[in-house]
């Protein structure tokens, strides 16, 4: 510290420059001095100082920095041993990281560039320059940067040399340096292109150098590992261009569009898969790196489109036309075609739905491509799926693209891409599918029954069936569904009669998931378009007596699911899958499920009879919210609620900590019902006192969501005064005891915020009782912890009672008091 050792740096430098130090020659003294100077800024950054000490020490080091820079510059001369130069460069890097300004260091940085041509100093020099140009404060010194940027341009011959000689180590270093300069100072580069000819040339040359690094020869992760570092720059440059004012923006477009067009052509090459022999020889890690690299390029093309717009579409159209128009004897290299198709999909999110100049031609060329490789076919299908929303405005294209998708379902190697593309297309084009329904359903049925598809693909195809049949009348839909679903219903019925086995379980789970996805996608009462803001489908407003297909299918599946429940009643996987089927059916049918309420409720009770499941509780909540106020179903829903409450309390028993998920979901149900239909509890046989006490138990658990849901229920009960007044008064002591113990340190701090709602509610509705128990709390020795004094507890209690309507202040008071209870702060001034 300066007060203990004034002029420390000056003294150290003077001491080690003396020649009378025993057993140390000039070289040893120089090395020792540089090592000490190197570590000083590092220790400043890692050691703890209070704010005042840190400020004094920073000022002292900043005052001494010119002497250090002078010393370092004196070392960077041709005759100095390389190990000392290397140490001096590291010392410079340390002081630049500390905060020595670029303006101060400019003369020495000019010298540093010389080390980049020395192989022994190359790595250290690159690291120093990256620190210099990458420092957050460096952009403040634009004039100094303008003087230094030509030094980066001078590295262009060296860059070409290391690329040609395939010196990947030095290429990696130069790439890091050039990209750091370009990314950190991209705004300066953009401004410079509208400045003097010299500055313009310098800026464009640096951009071109990044372009060279992006277009490195060879395949990424096999021949080179540099080009991925350069991709981020193009987004930063794009941001700087589009954030400029309109007049400048048009000028920047004229300057940078040719650059981005060249970049696009480079990325089309770089995104290509290597030859199959090379790709198959790559390790899994290399393949994963290449996959991520392709995704990065995919994202980069989205920004390129924002700059090029029509130019990109023209380029893509030209490429695809050229590839599709090759003569039969002119074999198209599939990697080249796949790259163009892959990047074609990247621009789908940014295209306007009204675009009809280039895309029809692009899809026409796409349909003429010779698809003879599975990777090319999969990529083509993925790109088709990416334009599903655009097809809804241009349905004529469906005639061209649907045959390709359906054909892909017959090939197991591309079935995943085909099923995903089909799902996207039929979901977003339901009103245009009637001419294709028979072909789609027939193909899906054949593919599902082929036995060659994975479970996930079969499930996805069932959702495609649902979307495709949604525009049809129920009677027409059921003609198809009876054929498709009959084998699966029969198989489920057969499995329900067999003893549990792993094979049987897999078959049940797959078919239940198929029905689940069918129920969520098959809705004959939707209207195409829906809400543009929410993305939800609108519901046809006209009344119809025709039942929905989901209702008719659910009627057939309920007895089968009941039979499955009897056999698999202790298997949580089967139980949760049945719940998912019911949940999606209820979500689609809503009020239309009323004729089946009794059967569904009975099945829920069965599902919950042997094993606790939060999925069952979720469906119970859904039914109570939908039909709890309906007089026709009041008895059924009340019976379901009573059964679930009784069984849940039985499951929780004396150790609710083992089933916090159940308690959390149960409290959510109670809070929801209490909030939306509190009179429901009056018709229930459930013991409100017991439910309230269960909520108190939930407050003592360490899981945040469990505590939050318990607080929600208890707060709702307290706010329903006088509905549950007797219950609250009877249990207020236990409730406050639990809350204060949690605040006192028995619960993690992150669960305390919801408890503030309880204190605010009690303050509002039960002020006298809260005041009474707060007095008892203050007078109780060692409660909630021995770390707090009576005076601190009195101050806490007074603040809580005073701030009756200020939840924010109560929250702050609880937060401060719990810190005192935990010994994290010792002063009570926070309450004042």
């Amino acid at each position: 510290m300066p007060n203990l050792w004034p002029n420390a740096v000056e003294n150290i430098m003077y001491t080690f420059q003396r020649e009378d130090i025993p057993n140390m020659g000039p070289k040893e003294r120089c090395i020792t001095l540089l090592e000490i100077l190197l570590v000083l800024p590092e220790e400043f950054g890692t050691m703890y100082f209070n704010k005042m000490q840190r400020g004094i020490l920073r000022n002292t080091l900043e005052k001494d920095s010119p002497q250090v820079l002078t010393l370092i510059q004196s070392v960077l001369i041709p005759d100095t041993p390389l190990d000392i130069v290397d140490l001096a460069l590291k010392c410079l890097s340390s002081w630049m990281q500390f905060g020595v300004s670029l303006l101060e260091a400019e003369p020495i940085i000019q010298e540093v560039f010389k080390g980049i041509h020395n192989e022994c100093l190359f790595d250290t020099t690159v690291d120093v320059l990256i620190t210099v140009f990458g420092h957050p404060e460096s952009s403040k010194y634009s004039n100094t940067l303008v003087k230094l940027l030509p030094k980066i341009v001078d590295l262009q011959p060296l860059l070409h040399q290391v690329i040609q000689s395939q010196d990947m180590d030095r290429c990696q270093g130069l790439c890091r340096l050039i990209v750091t300069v370009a990314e950190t100072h991209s705004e300066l580069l953009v401004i410079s292109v509208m400045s003097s000819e010299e500055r313009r040339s310098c800026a464009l040359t640096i951009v071109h150098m990044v372009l060279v690094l992006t277009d490195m020869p060879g395949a990424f992760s096999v021949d080179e590992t540099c080009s991925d570092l350069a991709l981020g720059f193009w987004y930063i440059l794009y941001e700087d261009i589009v954030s400029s004012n309109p007049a400048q923006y048009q000028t920047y477009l004229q300057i940078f569009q040719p650059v981005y067009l060249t970049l696009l052509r480079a990325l089309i090459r770089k995104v290509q898969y290597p030859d199959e022999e090379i790709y198959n020889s790559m390790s899994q890690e290399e393949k994963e790196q290449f996959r991520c690299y392709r995704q990065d390029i995919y994202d980069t093309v989205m920004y390129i489109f924002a700059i090029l717009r029509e130019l990109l579409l023209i380029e893509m159209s030209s490429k695809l036309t050229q590839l599709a128009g090759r003569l039969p004897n002119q074999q198209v290299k599939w990697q080249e075609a796949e790259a163009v198709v892959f990047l074609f999909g990247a621009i789908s999110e940014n295209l306007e739905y009204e675009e009809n100049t280039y895309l029809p031609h692009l899809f026409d060329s796409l349909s003429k491509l010779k698809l003879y490789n599975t990777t090319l076919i999969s990529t083509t299908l993925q790109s088709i799926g990416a334009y599903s929303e655009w097809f809804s405005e241009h349905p004529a294209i469906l005639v061209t693209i649907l045959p390709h998708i359906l054909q892909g379902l017959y090939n197991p190697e591309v079935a995943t891409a085909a099923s995903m593309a089909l799902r996207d297309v039929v979901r977003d084009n339901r009103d245009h599918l009637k001419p294709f329904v028979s072909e789609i359903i027939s193909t899906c049925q054949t593919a599902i029954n082929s036995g060659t598809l994975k479970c996930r693909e079969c499930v996805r195809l069932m959702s495609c069936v649902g979307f495709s049949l949604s525009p049809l009348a129920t009677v027409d839909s059921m003609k198809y569904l009876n054929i498709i679903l009959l084998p699966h219903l029969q198989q489920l019925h057969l499995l329900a009669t067999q003893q549990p086995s792993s094979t049987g379980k897999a078959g049940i789970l797959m078919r239940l998931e198929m029905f689940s996805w069918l129920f969520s996608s098959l809705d004959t009462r939707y209207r195409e378009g829906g809400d543009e803001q929410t993305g939800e489908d609108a519901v046809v407003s006209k009344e119809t007596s025709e039942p929905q297909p989901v209702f008719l299918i659910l009627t057939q599946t309920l007895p089968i699911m009941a039979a499955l429940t009897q056999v698999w009643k202790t298997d949580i996987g089967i139980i949760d899958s049945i719940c998912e089927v019911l949940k999606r059916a209820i979500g689609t049918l809503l009020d239309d499920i009323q004729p089946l309420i009794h059967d569904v409720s009975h099945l829920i009770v069965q599902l919950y009879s042997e094993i606790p499941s939060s999925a069952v509780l979720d469906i119970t909540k859904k039914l109570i919210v939908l039909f709890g106020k309906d007089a026709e179903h009041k008895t059924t829903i009340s019976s379901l609620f009573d059964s679930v409450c009784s069984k849940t309390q039985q499951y929780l028993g004396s150790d609710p900590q083992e089933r916090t998920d159940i308690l959390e979901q149960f409290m959510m149900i109670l809070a929801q019902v209490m909030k939306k239909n509190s009179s429901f509890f009056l018709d229930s046989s459930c013991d409100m006192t017991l439910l309230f006490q269960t909520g108190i138990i939930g407050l003592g658990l360490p899981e945040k969501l469990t505590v939050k849901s318990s607080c929600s229920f208890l707060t709702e009960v307290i706010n329903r005064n006088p509905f549950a007044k007797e219950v609250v008064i009877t249990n207020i002591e236990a409730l406050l005891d639990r809350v204060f113990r949690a605040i006192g340190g028995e619960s993690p701090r992150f669960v305390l915020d919801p408890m503030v709602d309880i204190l605010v509610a009690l303050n509002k509705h039960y002020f006298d009782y809260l005041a009474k128990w707060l007095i008892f709390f203050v007078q109780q020795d060692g409660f909630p912890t021995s770390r707090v004094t009576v005076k601190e507890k009195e101050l806490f209690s007074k603040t809580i009672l005073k701030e009756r309507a200020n939840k924010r202040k109560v929250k702050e008071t609880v937060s401060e008091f719990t810190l005192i209870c935990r010994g994290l702060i010792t002063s009570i001034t926070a309450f004042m």
Side-chain angles (χ1 to χ4, degrees), residues 668-695:
M668 287 174 63
I669 292 177
L670 298 180
Q672 191 91 346
V673 174
M674 182 62 70
K675 184 177 182 179
K676 296 193 173 182
N677 188 14
S678 58
S679 61
F680 186 81
F681 285 92
L682 297 174
D683 303 317
S684 170
S685 62
C686 290
D687 186 342
M688 176 57 73
T689 299
L690 194 56
L691 296 177
F692 196 87
Q693 290 170 351
T694 304

Side-chain angles (χ1 to χ4, degrees), residues 427 430 467 523 526-531 534-539:
R427 180 194 61 215
R430 281 174 273 188
F467 288 129
D523 187 357
Y526 91 100
R527 180 184 291 131
E528 183 72 12
D531 190 323
T534 64
E536 295 177 356
D537 293 325
V539 176

Side-chain angles (χ1 to χ4, degrees), residues 14 62 119 139 220 313 411 512 555 621 629 687 723 734 771 823:
Y14 172 75
E62 286 175 350
E119 290 190 18
S139 57
F220 177 77
L313 294 174
N411 183 347
L512 288 176
T555 303
K621 180 179 71 174
K629 295 182 179 180
D687 186 342
F723 168 72

Side-chain angles (χ1 to χ4, degrees), residues 439-510:
E439 187 179 2
I440 292 172
I441 300 302
S442 173
T443 304
C444 288
Q445 181 183 4
T446 303
I448 291 171
N449 294 336
S450 68
T452 59
L453 301 187
K454 300 173 184 175
C455 171
R456 192 74 240 160
E457 292 157 0
C458 292
V459 170
R460 200 176 292 121
L461 288 183
M462 195 59 80
S463 73
C464 295
V465 169
F467 288 129
S468 301
L469 295 178
S470 292
L472 304 186
T474 297
V475 62
D476 296 325
S477 296
M478 291 307 297
K479 290 179 182 177
Y480 292 107
L481 289 169
N482 286 332
I483 298 172
I484 295 174
L485 298 180
L486 181 60
H488 302 291
L489 288 169
Q490 290 175 339
Q491 188 63 27
L492 273 179
H493 181 74
L494 177 63
L495 290 169
T497 63
Q498 297 175 354
Q499 290 299 312
S501 66
S502 57
T503 304
K505 180 178 179 178
I508 293 170
L509 290 175
M510 185 187 81

